[in-house]
Amino acid sequence: MGKDNEKLPYVIIIGVASIIVLGSIKLFTELTESLKTKLFSNLDLRISDYIISYRTPALTRYFTFVTNFGDWYGYVIVLIVCAIMFYLIFKNWKNVVQLTTVLLLSSVSNIILKQITHRARPDIKHLVTVESLSYPSGHTMTAMAFYGFLIYLLYTFKINKIIKAGVITLFVLLILSIGISRIYLGVHFPSDIVGGLIAGFIWVVFSVLILNILKVFQGDPNM
């Protein structure tokens, strides 16, 4: 009976996560199917024009800096910092492996999704160099998956609540800033960003789902 009670929170998380994953997949599918409608085209143009109208040298420097956190070298730096912190504070390498796995899976799946939708980039001035297709935004999707899963890990850590809330808030703002930066820099439509956020969120919840399934079957609360 005691062991069943210990597993109950994980079972609840598994059930809720499963529902969220299925709902998010449906939402992403509906968004993808609506991309070519006149309504979405007009919204993309209006929102893009509004954000781009605020271009200044200072903001351009800021968003160029922020968007770098969504590039591979940004993730390498964050992973190294996380590896050091996780080892020194929690003596646990598993979280680094989990983070790296989420990063790789979200990156590969983004490439596949781009090839399936085959949407061209916005026909406006790009402030940074891009070579891949547009939908969903790779920077946004990977940032949502990577930093989103990192937020989940931080939430489970037993650390000072104020520090935890501050770091989580910082990562949330970073995810949103990376998404906005891609519109500001002229390399994505707003719907690319929304699609990236949804797809990345699916990876976060799916990863949490798998993690808790493993905890139930392996009985390891430190997974």
Side-chain angles (χ1 to χ4, degrees):
M1 188 68 178
K3 289 184 177 180
D4 290 338
N5 289 336
E6 289 178 1
K7 291 181 178 180
L8 183 59
Y10 301 122
V11 173
I12 293 173
I13 292 174
I14 290 169
V16 173
S18 299
I19 294 172
I20 294 175
V21 167
L22 292 174
S24 299
I25 290 174
K26 185 176 186 299
L27 181 60
F28 180 81
T29 302
E30 290 178 351
L31 173 64
T32 304
E33 292 175 348
S34 303
L35 289 178
K36 294 182 180 180
T37 63
K38 189 174 182 179
L39 173 63
F40 269 84
S41 296
N42 289 336
L43 281 174
D44 273 336
L45 290 174
R46 289 181 181 180
I47 296 173
S48 294
D49 288 344
Y50 178 77
I51 293 176
I52 289 173
S53 69
Y54 284 92
R55 279 181 176 177
T56 63
L59 271 179
T60 299
R61 285 193 296 270
Y62 169 74
F63 280 121
T64 302
F65 173 77
V66 165
T67 208
N68 288 333
F69 279 94
D71 275 317
W72 66 269
Y73 42 84
Y75 292 116
V76 169
I77 294 172
V78 175
L79 277 172
I80 292 173
V81 172
C82 286
I84 295 172
M85 295 295 291
F86 291 167
Y87 178 73
L88 292 178
I89 299 175
F90 304 104
K91 307 297 181 183
N92 190 343
W93 286 100
K94 290 181 180 178
N95 296 142
V96 180
V97 175
Q98 293 160 0
L99 264 175
T100 305
T101 302
V102 171
L103 176 63
L104 292 175
L105 290 175
S106 61
S107 298
V108 172
S109 62
N110 178 260
I111 294 172
I112 295 171
L113 288 172
K114 283 180 182 290
Q115 292 301 319
I116 292 173
T117 55
H118 215 269
R119 189 186 201 189
R121 297 275 181 173
D123 187 21
I124 54 179
K125 183 181 179 181
H126 298 173
L127 300 185
V128 291
T129 303
V130 288
E131 297 177 357
S132 62
L133 294 165
S134 193
Y135 180 88
S137 166
H139 276 67
T140 309
M141 179 176 168
T142 309
M144 181 72 246
F146 180 83
Y147 294 112
F149 188 68
L150 185 53
I151 287 172
Y152 169 76
L153 292 178
L154 287 170
Y155 178 78
T156 63
F157 292 164
K158 294 179 180 179
I159 57 177
N160 182 279
K161 291 183 179 179
I162 295 177
I163 295 176
K164 181 188 290 188
V167 176
I168 288 176
T169 300
L170 179 64
F171 281 132
V172 170
L173 292 175
L174 179 58
I175 293 169
L176 295 176
S177 293
I178 288 174
I180 294 172
S181 74
R182 305 309 286 173
I183 304 172
Y184 177 92
L185 297 171
V187 293
H188 277 292
F189 297 103
S191 54
D192 296 337
I193 307 306
V194 176
L197 288 172
I198 296 172
F201 181 70
I202 291 172
W203 271 117
V204 174
V205 182
F206 181 74
S207 300
V208 172
L209 173 63
I210 297 301
L211 203 58
N212 281 274
I213 289 175
L214 292 175
K215 286 180 180 179
V216 169
F217 285 98
Q218 296 183 4
D220 183 3
N222 296 314
M223 276 291 296

